[in-house]
Structures are given as C-alpha cells and as structure tokens.
Amino acid sequence: MKVLLSVPMNRPARDPTSGVNINDNGLGYVAAAAAAAGADVSLFSWNVNLDLDAFRARLLELRPGLVGLKVFTTNFQYAHATLEVVRQTLPEAFTVIGGPHPSTSEPENLFAEFDGLLDFAIAGDGELGMRELVGVLAGTSAPPPAAALARVPGLVYRDGAAVMAGAPAFAEDLESLPPLDWALQPPAAFKRKLVAGGVDAGSTTTDLPDGVIEGAPPAEARGKLSALVADSRGCPRDCGHCMSYRINGDRPRKRRIDALLAELELLIHAHGVRALEFTGNAFLQDVEYTRKVCKWLIAQKIPVQWGCTGGPYVRHLCDRDLLELMRQAGCTVIHYGIETGSPAVNERQRKPASLDVYSEAVLKTEAAGIRAEGGFMLGHPDETVAEMEESIRYALSLPFSRFGFCICLPLPGTTGYYRVLEKHGLARIDWSTYDFLKPELMPCSTSIAQLRRMFLKTKLLRRFPTAAAVYRWVHGVKRAN
C-alpha cells in the first residue's frame, strides 16, 4: 500500500508555519510505523509547501491509497484545503488526520469540520494507530468493517451515522517504536538555521510543529545544519492553556539513553548537524539522564549548540552545577514558557512553578552564560488589563536574552476554549472562519480592542529598549541581577 504523510500545503507567507523549515519528528515516527507495516511511504515535511496545483500533480504521480495529514488547529484552513484537493484528485484514497487538532478535539466535531473529506482520525501516539490501520486497509479500496476498525488504537471513524472513537493509546516503551528514518527527512534538505523552540506543545499562539516557538535563531547558530531531537514524550501537568498532556500523554516517557545517544551520534557524525533542539517536555525530568547527555556531548569534542525547554521541571534549573555542565556541553539557550507574570493567572492556569521559582531559574541561567528566553501570553481566561500589566512588568524585571508575547488562543480542549463556548453560547468554534492573526472570540475579561492594544504595547517594548527603559521608570520596575 502506498502512503503519503504530509503537512498542510499552500501555506501563505502570513501563516507562521510557512517560515518553519525543520524536520517533523511526529511525522517521521508515523512514517517509520507505516513502513514497518509494509507500506511504501512518502513524506512531505515543513520544507515542502506546494501550491494546490503542484500538490495535485504530486498526488497523481504518487497515487497513494492512504493520505495522512498532520493538523494543527492554527493551520486548519490549509489542512481543509489540502484534503479537498486529495478528495477531488484521488476520490478512492483513504484520508486520515493526526496531530494536536484531532488529539484535543471532540470526535464528533472532526467529522463536522471536515465534512465529506475525512475517513479517519488518530488521537494519541499516531504510530500505534497507523501501524494497525495500514494492515486493515492494505489490499482494499472498500470501507473496512467496523469490527476491524475498532481494533485500531486511538482511531476515530464512522460506523454508519455514528462517530466512534477508540481510546488514545500511548507507547509505554518508546524504543518499541520503529526508529526514525532520517533518509525521509535528511537535515541537509532543510534550511541551515536553528529554529528556536521547546515550549510546551500547544501553548503558543502560532501552534508551531512539535512545540516550536516563533523567533529568529541565535546569531552564532545561523548557517549551521540543525535538527529537532525527540528525547521524551508526555507531560505530567495539565496547564489550562496547554494540551500536551492529551496530545502526548500525561505520563512522561523518556528515550533509553543509549538509543538517544546513538541518534545524536548519527546526526552529528554522519549528517554533520551542529545545532540541536531537544523537544521533549521531560528532558530535565531526570537530572542524571540530562548529565549523561551533557557528558557525552562534551566527550565528542565537536562543538554542537543546543537548546531545550524548562518545561514542568523548571525547579531543576535552579541548580548552578547542572547549568554549568549544560553550558560546557554546548547549551546556548533554555526556553521558559512562563506564560504569565500575574500570580493569580499563574494559579488559575495551573502552572508547574511559582513566579519566584521561574525568576530564580532565569537569573541562574543567564549567570551561567546560557540565554534565557521567555514566552508569555495575553488573553488568558478571565484575565484583566491589570493582570496583563503584571505580566509585562514581570517580563521586564528579568534579564531575558529575549522574551516575547503572543495571544492565548482558545485552542480545543483548553480552559480558554470552554470559556469561549460558555461566553458566546456556542457548541463549537468554527475554525474554518476563525482568524488566528486577528481573533475575535477570546476568553479574557478585556475587550478585543483592549487586548490588541496591550499586545501592541508588548511589541513596542520588546523592540525598542528606550521604550522599555521608560516603562520600567514609570512603573517602578527594578530589573533583577
């Protein structure tokens, strides 16, 4: 069976994902699972962005029997248009979606949103569902019996008029999954630039692949061959703005250390990668594990720059000795998804640490010679203008190498999503008409006009140091050292 796995096509320049040019580990693992099940797999990653006519031509050339699309809520419109082309061009092909959107949306909503375009969706670890689905669909163009589909982990499908949904499945042992085939996404096929990343998956306005956050790469990393590396999956926290615990499971699962180091050796020595980003929320869960990775990198005697996220284990980054070892091993940046500088919002959003802990970690990170980058949001559920001002003052009080604000969109499953439904009396948000760059439906207490003014203020303060200095003086903000 021929299988095409892809990201949405025809992404316009204004869409944040259009500028992303890096490997997609999720698609890579799903491709490996499909290949292990006997499929002939093609993969279009984030370095491919065909217009719809060119995509149609590629479909006719490849003629896959199954087309799988990774869907983030914020590129819903492009995913919908991509599936329309698939349905028009290859009406006999099966379609399936995976990724954050189907893992966090209500199953019934998926078939309403992709009416007539969707055969299946997979929630949870897509490798487990894809492996079984390929086996069920192989050699047939007719819809399989419901009894066969019911055995596919995490599958969402129709049984007549009813929408059925299997429980999302998560691999207990990550090494039981077929390893990534880097030939499908060779680092050399992507732009030679490091993409800043690492905040909790689903927590950014732009909702970029594998938790990547918007921003220019560090100057000294530009021009280096780079790769995202999946070190772990899962997150034990259920922060209100973030669906990582539903997308990747609520129990952290780490790669076996020897397997991770073997992949790093392949990337560094065989592919020439010199910039890495560890994408897992649990990279810092086990400090001894992190130390082993650092010592291995030091022993290679090849300068490799890398970054990671503080994630739910930000307390471990208050350890000066650990930070010093990370710096020696090439760590140049740690991403802190702090999201709010308001203690009240921090508590309401169930963040994993207090603002005092975040402050200590940021100060010690910068003191160790590692850049601390802060990610903040405006527009949390019931957030007021005063609470937004608290976030701005907090961001300006710390010596971040870089910080940024984004709008806290009401993505499926988040507290903001359900607050919007309640406020506006909706059954669901219509993502086909939702403007993610100028959102109108928001869960905060402020008006849309107030929210936009606050967001504009953060952009000016970030870009103009003089404006930031004046703001600190007016508001009595003392910058910590």
Side-chain angles (χ1 to χ4, degrees):
M1 181 180 199
K2 288 188 175 182
V3 173
L4 171 62
L5 299 175
S6 181
V7 299
M9 295 290 107
N10 204 40
R11 305 182 302 277
R14 78 185 192 104
D15 178 57
T17 58
S18 295
V20 176
N21 200 323
I22 199 72
N23 59 288
D24 190 300
N25 288 317
L27 280 178
Y29 276 105
V30 172
D40 178 5
V41 182
S42 300
L43 192 156
F44 292 167
S45 192
W46 297 98
N47 58 338
V48 179
N49 189 16
L50 305 174
D51 64 40
L52 295 183
D53 286 337
F55 180 61
R56 191 188 314 275
R58 291 290 283 148
L59 287 173
L60 290 171
E61 177 187 339
L62 294 170
R63 292 199 171 273
L66 174 64
V67 177
L69 205 66
K70 182 169 187 174
V71 181
F72 289 88
T73 305
T74 47
N75 54 34
F76 177 92
Q77 290 97 332
Y78 318 123
H80 193 280
T82 302
L83 287 175
E84 283 185 321
V85 172
V86 174
R87 199 56 107 198
Q88 295 163 3
T89 308
L90 299 175
E92 71 283 3
F94 294 105
T95 58
V96 59
I97 60 172
H101 187 75
S103 290
T104 55
S105 298
E106 296 298 328
E108 294 79 7
N109 289 349
L110 296 175
F111 282 97
E113 293 166 346
F114 293 99
D115 187 30
L117 304 178
L118 193 63
D119 293 308
F120 311 109
I122 297 177
D125 282 352
E127 303 92 336
L128 304 179
M130 180 60 73
R131 182 175 58 197
E132 298 300 321
L133 185 61
V134 167
V136 169
L137 299 180
T140 180
S141 58
L149 295 174
R151 295 193 295 269
V152 179
L155 192 70
V156 181
Y157 60 98
R158 283 191 183 277
D159 183 5
V163 175
M164 312 299 290
F170 302 98
E172 289 296 315
D173 177 11
L174 296 183
E175 304 315 323
S176 68
L177 302 174
L180 283 177
D181 179 1
W182 284 95
L184 287 175
Q185 298 186 89
F190 297 86
K191 289 180 181 176
R192 293 172 178 257
K193 63 181 262 186
L194 179 68
V195 177
V199 291
D200 302 344
S203 68
T204 63
T205 297
T206 50
D207 200 11
L208 298 182
D210 290 333
V212 177
I213 63 172
E214 183 182 14
E220 73 276 11
R222 294 172 189 166
K224 297 181 184 297
L225 208 60
S226 61
L228 300 179
V229 177
D231 57 277
S232 59
R233 295 186 188 182
C235 183
R237 302 295 304 191
D238 62 342
C239 301
H241 64 279
C242 176
M243 288 290 99
S244 181
Y245 70 99
R246 279 179 55 177
I247 298 168
N248 298 307
D250 60 6
R251 191 179 71 80
R253 296 157 290 149
K254 298 183 72 66
R255 300 269 306 273
R256 204 173 60 232
I257 188 70
D258 61 328
L260 177 62
L261 297 182
E263 184 168 63
L264 293 179
E265 183 170 17
L266 174 71
L267 290 171
I268 294 168
H269 294 281
H271 288 279
V273 168
R274 295 295 180 265
L276 300 166
E277 192 77 41
F278 293 104
T279 63
N281 280 326
F283 180 70
L284 287 158
Q285 178 196 28
D286 180 351
V287 171
E288 287 309 308
Y289 183 100
T290 308
R291 290 182 184 276
K292 288 179 181 177
V293 174
C294 289
K295 291 176 180 177
W296 184 89
L297 287 167
I298 292 171
Q300 301 312 296
K301 301 188 184 303
I302 296 177
V304 177
Q305 293 158 351
W306 56 276
C308 65
T309 174
Y313 305 101
V314 65
R315 289 178 176 82
H316 293 165
L317 291 170
C318 296
D319 182 340
R320 294 179 187 273
D321 291 338
L322 175 62
L323 287 167
E324 176 60 25
L325 180 64
M326 291 170 66
R327 185 193 62 78
Q328 292 176 14
C331 181
T332 59
V333 60
I334 297 174
H335 311 283
Y336 288 94
I338 301 174
E339 320 303 357
T340 178
S342 164
V345 176
N346 190 68
E347 183 175 351
R348 292 202 300 267
Q349 291 294 79
R350 304 185 297 274
K351 292 294 294 177
S354 69
L355 294 178
D356 287 342
V357 171
Y358 279 117
S359 297
E360 181 182 357
V362 168
L363 287 168
K364 288 183 175 177
T365 297
E366 288 284 340
I370 301 172
R371 288 187 306 280
E373 295 191 352
F376 294 88
M377 294 180 171
L378 298 176
H380 293 281
D382 300 316
E383 187 176 25
T384 64
V385 167
E387 288 169 332
M388 294 181 195
E389 289 284 7
E390 283 185 289
S391 287
I392 295 173
R393 291 196 295 271
Y394 180 83
L396 290 172
S397 73
L398 292 171
F400 290 109
S401 292
R402 185 175 64 185
F403 69 85
F405 280 79
C406 62
I407 303 299
C408 184
L409 293 173
L411 300 177
T414 62
T415 54
Y417 179 82
Y418 294 112
R419 186 72 183 95
V420 164
L421 297 187
E422 180 186 9
K423 280 178 64 175
H424 298 278
L426 301 173
R428 65 181 177 87
I429 295 176
D430 184 358
W431 301 114
S432 67
T433 60
Y434 198 92
D435 188 339
F436 294 98
L437 296 180
K438 293 183 178 179
E440 294 293 335
L441 298 177
M442 290 298 297
C444 51
S445 296
T446 63
S447 68
I448 298 299
Q450 286 175 310
L451 176 61
R452 288 177 179 164
R453 284 196 295 270
M454 294 297 290
F455 183 57
L456 177 60
K457 179 191 290 187
T458 67
K459 294 177 72 173
L460 294 173
L461 293 173
R462 187 183 64 166
R463 292 180 182 178
F464 300 103
T466 301
V470 171
Y471 183 95
R472 289 191 187 95
W473 180 76
V474 170
H475 293 273
V477 177
K478 294 182 179 179
R479 186 159 180 167
N481 297 312

